[in-house]
Amino acid sequence: MFASYRRLFAAPGALAFTLTGLFARLSFAMTGVSTVVLIATRRDSYALAGAVSATGVVAVAVGLPLIGRLVDRYGQSRVSVAAVLLAVWPTAGLLLCAHFGAPAWTLFVCCAASAVLPNLGGMARARWAHLHRDDPAARHVANSLEQALDELCFMGGPVLAMLLCTSLFPEAGLLVGAVLGSAGLLLFAAQRRTEPPVQPPTETAERGALRHGGLRVLVLVFAATGVVFGSMEVTTLAYADALGQKPLAGGMLALVAAGSCVSGLLLGLVRGRVGTTGRLLLGVAAMSVLLLLPLAAGVSGAGLAVLGLTLFVAGSGTAPTMVAGMTMVQEVLPARQLNEGMGLAVAGILVGISTGAALGGVVAEQAAPGTGYLVPAGAAGLALLTALAGRRRLRERPAPPLSVLAA
């Protein structure tokens, strides 16, 4: 049944860059929780911890497209090594400042300055796109695998971070995450034979990837999907807390990621005849419908068992949207702007997550338990409307290089 995935890893070097990249992905998933636990423990302030963590998210969202542009221009290996050398100092500074009671502003500066690492998920997808540039079916399988790996890391990362911070010492999560991230990124960069070649600069590339109308639509869709993720997390935490079962909230959220992980893997085995734009529209539509299930369970007071089942099913609706969306980023942009485009896509998701968390928190405080699931359901509907309104832009493709035309 998994012959598609076996063929995917038959490409020389594919397994090596996938496995080494897992360490860096896991580190990224650990960072937010580790930062919050560290600062909340050392400074006894969740408000300060949340503010510093939010600053880090904003810095990452701003930095990813810029770093992605450097990757497109100078190559994955050169930028990755330089980024690791730059990031180690502010990360060490954050650990020391939090431990020894430095002024609060130093925490904000160090956290923001450490956000210089490239988007490893985007670089991995760029490698798959290069390896299978003439095989759309293989790219679809690769993007399905990448989505499943993302979800796997975001299930295990926070759990590992909490375990380290609570069983060892508060700095352990961020320290181990930094070591894993640095080692993983350096090992990934060492896999030179699968690295896409640097494309020669053009006047179009100088204007930035956002000049492509299709990417602008995709960034808005990703931002709305990020609102789904952020509001779902806060709403589920608030709902479990209202029922006196707050410790179970982490497991409930893991069910969302598990549903998306399973769905992503199965999606890679399906070979449909629908184009990428059609797959995106179907994925967003499915996500919109399935997110009505946790809303119904929450509002009706069905209990955590039923809610958990609906969260797993609803999570299965996010993977088709993410897989089709990331595939479309590869299609609407020329290869020389792919990492910048991936960075913009992830930046949109991060902005959406922050917005969704804020909206979900407001609704959770002002309305009855479970009502907050209106926010992810509404955000999914907004993503669907955005994709429908921009479907003409999504069908636009970049002109082939002059070398191809000459050939």
Side-chain angles (χ1 to χ4, degrees):
M1 185 175 68
F2 290 95
S4 298
Y5 290 106
R6 287 198 299 271
R7 284 195 296 270
L8 201 63
F9 288 111
L15 182 61
F17 82 73
T18 300
L19 292 180
T20 56
L22 278 176
F23 293 108
R25 290 173 191 248
L26 189 63
S27 169
F28 186 77
M30 294 171 64
T31 300
V33 173
S34 299
T35 302
V36 170
V37 174
L38 168 61
I39 297 175
T41 303
R42 293 300 185 192
R43 299 302 179 90
D44 194 26
S45 172
Y46 275 101
L48 177 61
V52 172
S53 180
T55 299
V57 172
V58 172
V60 170
V62 172
L64 281 181
L66 301 177
I67 299 169
R69 194 166 189 176
L70 292 176
V71 172
D72 288 327
R73 178 170 294 185
Y74 299 108
Q76 294 185 0
S77 298
R78 291 177 63 185
V79 175
S80 295
V81 173
V84 169
L85 296 176
L86 286 174
V88 66
W89 304 109
T91 302
L94 178 60
L95 289 166
L96 294 172
C97 289
H99 183 80
F100 291 106
W105 64 266
T106 61
L107 304 177
F108 289 94
V109 172
C110 290
C111 189
S114 64
V116 295
L117 296 177
N119 173 24
L120 193 136
M123 292 195 299
R125 289 176 171 90
R127 292 191 180 216
W128 288 121
H130 172 66
L131 288 174
H132 301 289
R133 52 192 175 276
D134 299 321
D135 189 349
R139 290 201 303 272
H140 169 69
V141 176
N143 285 320
S144 299
L145 173 68
E146 289 296 317
Q147 182 60 30
L149 293 177
D150 282 343
E151 297 296 351
L152 184 63
C153 289
F154 277 98
M155 279 192 291
V159 175
L160 178 59
M162 285 294 297
L163 179 64
L164 291 169
C165 292
T166 54
S167 62
L168 297 179
F169 47 90
E171 293 83 5
L174 196 59
L175 180 61
V176 171
V179 172
L180 285 176
S182 299
L185 194 54
L186 290 175
L187 289 171
F188 179 88
Q191 311 302 314
R192 299 299 296 270
R193 61 178 172 175
T194 53
E195 180 179 352
V198 176
Q199 302 291 323
T202 63
E203 182 181 351
T204 301
E206 292 296 329
R207 301 180 196 172
L210 271 180
R211 69 178 295 276
H212 297 275
L215 182 63
R216 293 197 295 269
V217 175
L218 287 170
V219 170
L220 292 175
V221 172
F222 280 130
T225 305
V227 173
V228 171
F229 297 149
S231 58
M232 185 93 74
E233 180 175 344
V234 173
T235 302
T236 302
L237 288 169
Y239 187 80
D241 192 20
L243 296 182
Q245 300 290 337
K246 190 175 182 179
L248 298 179
M252 304 290 286
L253 292 172
L255 287 172
V256 180
S260 182
C261 181
V262 172
S263 175
L265 286 174
L266 294 178
L267 188 65
L269 306 177
V270 177
R271 298 191 178 188
R273 297 181 179 179
V274 181
T276 314
T277 303
R279 291 203 302 269
L280 178 67
L281 293 173
L282 289 173
V284 181
M287 182 174 67
S288 302
V289 173
L290 293 178
L291 280 169
L292 296 175
L293 296 177
L295 174 61
V299 172
S300 65
L304 288 182
V306 175
L307 178 62
L309 178 61
T310 62
L311 288 175
F312 179 84
V313 176
S316 69
T318 60
T321 299
M322 296 296 297
V323 171
M326 288 299 182
T327 302
M328 290 208 70
V329 172
Q330 300 167 18
E331 293 182 357
V332 301
L333 291 176
R336 58 183 171 271
Q337 291 182 304
L338 188 52
N339 287 284
E340 181 185 358
M342 291 288 185
L344 286 165
V346 176
I349 294 172
L350 292 175
V351 171
I353 289 174
S354 300
T355 304
L359 290 174
V362 171
V363 175
E365 287 188 357
Q366 302 295 329
T371 309
Y373 287 112
L374 277 169
V375 180
L382 179 61
L384 177 59
L385 291 176
T386 302
L388 286 171
R391 60 186 181 279
R392 183 177 63 84
R393 292 284 189 184
L394 293 174
R395 293 191 178 101
E396 295 176 356
R397 297 294 181 267
L402 292 178
S403 58
V404 174
L405 292 176

